[in-house]
């Protein structure tokens, strides 16, 4: 494979092997490099943790690439971004991170570009829309790793027992939730605004209401009038009447909501492809429909891409590139996508899965991809804004909270983060 590489100059070589070995994190007498990687967990239990996937992948890679070891630590989505940020602050950046945002690290010069890491065939295989989302000032630093869209899941048995049809509008969704509650359903509509994935649930509802995190120019608009109306509706029509279950939305995490759905305790919730496998494993008969809007189908839905990146600190550019080329092979992308019901990020893997009838359940999610909107991941302020959303958004629907006040506070935080760039 062709690879874009920088050749060591004679001046660099003249510094001596000791300097070279120290810069590469090697020890005297050894030519082995150990890459440190931190990744997010896509599993829903210890049995299918992503740790197992990465350990297997690393073992297979090491068998084909002598002199390179890969040490991977996997953390929950609730913790992984903060874990990497803390490592970077301490001057202990990993070689590779697979997390939710890349732009702030790229803007501060901490990341290798995709050109510096990947072979041309691998880099050109990414889906074009995801490649663009991974760019900062027209240079790609974020490598898309996994993608998904969201649909509204509903429990068919609970709906049949209450003589309901899937909702097509917000008012119908609230009416369905009321009838589910009357039938004793524990969580008529699960609303996970807890720290694990609050930015996702927030954006789903903002888009459904006709607004979002940013406007057409890319400026933050969290306190947009329509967003205020959206969260006011959630509070008045779902949360206050007790239709979101016994756990306050601010305390309910995504995986807990998925677990409750898979136990038959949830009537409706927004979910991604991973939930299909989990619910089927527990024998839950479910349906999936596009997210409704105030008066009909939502014009846009949320799309998510998670990001892979290579840090410069340890100087392991070539070794990182070797591993990422391996990780992004069609076989390995398909394997990860199949294991966790995630949409593939490469053209080759997408075509392979589309041709396989065993993946037809993913078709509704793929169909939503065209109208999906991603987080503003190309903004260097996004990581900080996302962290603030995790902390504050639950208050917008709480008894003591105000949607206008919380969204105004978030807008102020976003504006300050932008100004600090």
């Amino acid at each position: 494979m062709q690879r874009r590489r920088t050749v060591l100059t004679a001046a660099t070589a003249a510094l001596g092997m000791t300097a070279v070995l120290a810069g590469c994190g090697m020890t005297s007498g050894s030519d082995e490099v150990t890459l440190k990687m931190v990744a997010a967990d896509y599993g829903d239990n210890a049995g299918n943790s992503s740790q197992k996937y990465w350990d297997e992948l690393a073992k297979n890679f090491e068998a084909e690439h002598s002199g390179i070891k890969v040490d991977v630590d996997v953390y929950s989505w609730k913790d992984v971004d903060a874990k990497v940020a803390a490592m970077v602050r301490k001057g202990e950046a990993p070689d590779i991170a697979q997390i939710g945002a890349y732009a702030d690290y790229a803007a501060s010069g901490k990341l290798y570009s995709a050109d510096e890491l990947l072979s041309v065939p691998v880099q050109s295989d990414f889906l074009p829309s995801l490649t663009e989302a991974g760019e900062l000032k027209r240079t790609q630093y974020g490598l898309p790793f996994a993608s998904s869209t969201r649909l509204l899941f509903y429990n068919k048995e609970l709906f049949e027992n209450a003589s309901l049809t899937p909702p097509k509008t917000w008012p119908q969704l609230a009416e369905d939730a009321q009838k589910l509650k009357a039938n004793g359903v524990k969580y008529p509509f699960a609303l996970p605004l807890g720290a694990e994935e609050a930015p996702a649930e927030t954006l789903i509802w903002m888009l459904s209401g006709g607004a979002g995190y940013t406007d057409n120019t890319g400026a933050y608009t969290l306190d947009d009038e329509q967003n205020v109306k959206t969260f006011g509706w959630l509070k008045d029509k779902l949360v206050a009447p007790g239709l979101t279950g016994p756990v306050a939305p601010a305390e309910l995490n995504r995986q807990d909501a998925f677990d409750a759905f898979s136990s038959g305790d949830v009537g409706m919730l927004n979910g991604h492809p991973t939930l299909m496998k989990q619910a089927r494993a527990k024998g839950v008969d479910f349906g999936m429909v596009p997210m409704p809007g105030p008066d009909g189908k939502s014009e846009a839905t949320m799309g998510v891409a998670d990001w892979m990146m290579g840090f410069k600190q340890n100087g392991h550019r070539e070794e990182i590139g070797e591993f990422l080329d391996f990780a992004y092979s069609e076989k390995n992308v398909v394997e990860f996508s199949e294991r966790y019901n995630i949409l593939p990020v490469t053209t080759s893997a997408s075509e392979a899965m589309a041709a396989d009838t065993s993946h037809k359940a993913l078709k509704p999610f793929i169909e939503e991809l065209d109208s999906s909107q991603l987080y503003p991941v190309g903004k260097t302020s996004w990581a900080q804004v996302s962290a603030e959303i995790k902390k504050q958004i639950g208050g917008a629907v709480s008894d003591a909270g105000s949607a206008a006040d919380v969204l105004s506070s978030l807008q102020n935080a976003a504006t300050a983060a932008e100004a600090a760039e």
Side-chain angles (χ1 to χ4, degrees):
M1 283 187 180
Q2 178 184 356
R3 179 182 297 283
R4 301 176 175 98
R5 298 190 185 278
T6 301
V7 179
L8 288 174
T9 65
T12 301
L15 293 175
M17 284 303 295
T18 301
V20 174
L21 291 174
C24 292
M26 303 178 193
T27 57
S28 179
S30 171
D31 60 356
E32 184 174 277
V33 169
T34 297
L35 297 177
K36 179 64 177 178
M37 177 176 175
V38 175
D41 196 354
Y42 290 80
D44 53 37
N45 58 62
N48 72 344
S49 168
S50 296
Q51 187 71 58
K52 291 189 175 182
Y53 172 83
W54 287 114
D55 287 347
E56 292 169 7
L57 190 73
K59 181 179 179 180
N60 293 336
F61 171 79
E62 291 166 4
E64 298 180 15
H65 298 77
S66 61
I68 308 175
K69 298 293 184 182
V70 184
D71 180 15
V72 186
D73 287 328
V74 170
Y75 297 90
S76 74
W77 273 110
K78 183 172 62 176
D79 301 319
V80 68
D81 290 301
K83 179 68 176 179
V84 171
M87 294 172 71
V88 172
R89 283 195 301 270
K90 292 177 182 178
E92 301 172 355
D95 295 290
I96 304 169
Q98 186 268 301
I99 52 178
Y102 68 86
D104 51 342
Y105 300 124
S108 59
K110 293 180 170 62
L111 301 181
Y112 291 115
S113 69
D115 286 351
E116 294 174 301
L117 294 175
L118 300 176
S119 63
V120 174
V122 170
Q123 187 178 358
S124 63
D125 197 27
F126 291 130
L127 296 172
S129 61
L130 299 180
T131 294
E132 183 178 349
E135 293 178 349
L136 179 68
K137 297 180 179 179
R138 299 188 178 182
T139 297
Q140 185 182 4
Y141 295 95
L143 315 179
F145 179 70
S147 65
S148 71
T149 53
R150 304 301 163 97
L151 294 172
L152 181 69
F153 283 66
Y154 64 95
N155 183 307
K156 286 186 175 181
E157 181 179 354
L158 297 179
F159 265 60
E160 289 172 3
N161 291 342
S163 301
L164 300 176
T165 58
K168 296 181 178 180
T169 65
W170 285 3
Q172 186 184 354
L173 186 151
E175 291 172 9
D176 286 353
Q178 286 281 9
K179 292 177 181 178
L180 289 167
K181 181 182 179 182
N183 270 22
V185 175
K186 190 174 182 179
Y187 292 89
F189 186 95
L191 184 65
L193 294 177
E196 182 180 2
E197 209 187 27
E201 190 71 19
T202 298
L203 184 55
I204 290 170
W205 282 98
M206 286 183 171
L207 292 173
S208 177
Y213 284 141
T214 59
D215 62 17
N216 291 334
T217 69
Y220 284 114
T221 55
L222 285 93
D223 62 349
D224 180 271
E225 180 181 357
Q226 192 57 52
N227 288 337
V228 174
K229 289 181 179 179
T230 294
F231 275 82
W233 185 90
L234 281 172
K235 179 178 179 179
D236 295 340
K237 301 299 184 181
L238 292 184
V239 180
L243 304 181
T244 54
V247 179
E251 305 300 324
L252 183 63
N253 282 318
R254 177 198 64 186
Q255 190 57 56
D256 294 330
F258 280 14
D259 290 345
F261 185 84
S262 300
S263 297
D265 292 329
V266 174
M268 297 174 279
L269 84 170
N270 291 310
H272 54 62
T274 302
L275 181 56
M276 295 190 299
K277 182 177 181 179
Q278 183 179 344
R280 287 195 189 107
K282 294 294 183 70
V284 174
D285 187 13
F286 61 87
M288 302 178 296
V289 294
M291 178 66 180
D295 304 310
K297 181 181 180 295
S298 175
E299 293 184 3
T301 189
M302 188 198 71
V304 171
D306 303 325
W307 303 97
M308 187 83 77
M309 62 211 71
F311 282 87
K312 293 180 176 179
Q313 180 177 314
N314 300 318
H316 294 152
R317 180 179 62 81
E318 292 198 10
E319 292 82 3
I320 294 170
E322 293 285 348
F323 180 68
L324 292 180
D325 268 3
F326 184 81
Y328 280 110
S329 70
E330 178 187 318
K331 173 181 178 294
N332 288 325
V333 173
V334 169
E335 163 63 20
F336 186 88
S337 300
E338 287 180 337
R339 187 176 298 199
Y340 297 107
N341 281 299
I342 293 293
L343 304 184
V345 297
T346 63
T347 299
S348 61
S350 296
E351 291 175 349
M353 293 182 73
D356 188 341
T357 57
S358 67
H359 300 304
K360 64 180 180 179
L362 288 174
K363 185 177 179 180
F365 293 94
I366 296 172
E367 289 174 344
E368 289 294 297
L369 203 55
D370 287 341
S371 63
S372 68
Q373 293 187 24
L374 276 67
Y375 296 141
V377 291
K379 298 173 77 66
T380 58
S381 57
W382 171 242
Q384 185 176 342
V385 174
S386 176
E388 285 299 318
I389 293 169
K390 291 180 180 182
K391 292 177 184 176
Q392 297 190 45
I393 195 62
V397 297
S398 69
D399 291 340
S402 158
D405 289 346
V406 170
L407 292 173
S408 177
S409 175
L410 287 170
Q411 179 65 30
N412 290 338
T415 301
E418 285 276 86
E421 291 183 3

